Amino acid sequence: MTFAGVIGEKIKYPKAFFEISLLITGTLILAVSAQINVRTPISPVPFTFQTMAVLLLGAALGSKRGAFCIALYIFEGLTGLPVFAGGLSGFAHIMGPTGGYLLGFIFAAYAVGYFSEKKFDRNIFKFFFLLMSGNFIVYFFGMMWLGVFTGYNKVFALGAAPFILPDLLKTVLSAFILPLAWRIVGRR
């Protein structure tokens, strides 16, 4: 067989290798999305593309795999890998003002994945609602923890209001990206 024939054939990998590859790729996507960050003078929480990545990973990977991928990403950051926003890492970062958002990522990925498994991601309106619900899960966990640092009377203004419009735009963008993500993970 020629080299071109080998390239044209579909290579079959063991399922475990594929699963591990998906998880590692997911954590890499999260790490890169965290580095696209903009600090605002009004909030200790940076604007990143992490929420978009988290919700897409949940939709593409499903509830358990998606949540596990996010937990693995957080574990990587806890071990010192510079995967959090701005290249940060460590336990102190998790305990800082943005730690609640990171925890919320796990629950949001699980919820979006669960409802995607129920085919909510097959209808554009349900999918939009699903992603916005995922964003609100992240906001809830994030604001609950952020309030410890800023006071709960300011938490909405600092921890959610600046991000609602950008998250709406990221949700629209996600609708175009999800079919590609399905193709990569083999969902139809």
Side-chain angles (χ1 to χ4, degrees), residues 87-170:
L88 299 174
S89 64
F91 188 72
H93 185 70
I94 293 286
M95 297 307 294
T98 61
Y101 294 93
L102 292 168
L103 178 63
F105 288 167
I106 297 171
F107 291 96
Y110 185 88
V112 169
Y114 176 82
F115 285 104
S116 291
E117 292 165 357
K118 304 290 182 202
K119 310 269 190 256
F120 271 62
D121 59 354
R122 302 310 194 267
N123 175 295
I124 192 71
F125 298 109
K126 286 182 180 179
F127 183 60
F128 181 81
F129 177 74
L130 178 60
L131 291 182
M132 288 310 298
S133 297
N135 278 310
F136 288 120
I137 291 170
V138 173
Y139 292 161
F140 174 77
F141 281 91
M143 289 188 305
M144 290 298 102
W145 185 246
L146 181 62
V148 171
F149 296 89
T150 64
Y152 289 99
N153 58 334
K154 300 180 202 171
V155 76
F156 181 78
L158 298 175
F163 306 102
I164 292 173
L165 182 58
D167 284 339
L168 281 169
L169 296 172
K170 289 187 287 185

Side-chain angles (χ1 to χ4, degrees), residues 14-26:
K15 184 175 176 156
F17 178 78
F18 180 72
E19 292 292 325
I20 292 168
S21 297
L22 281 178
L23 293 172
I24 291 171
T25 301

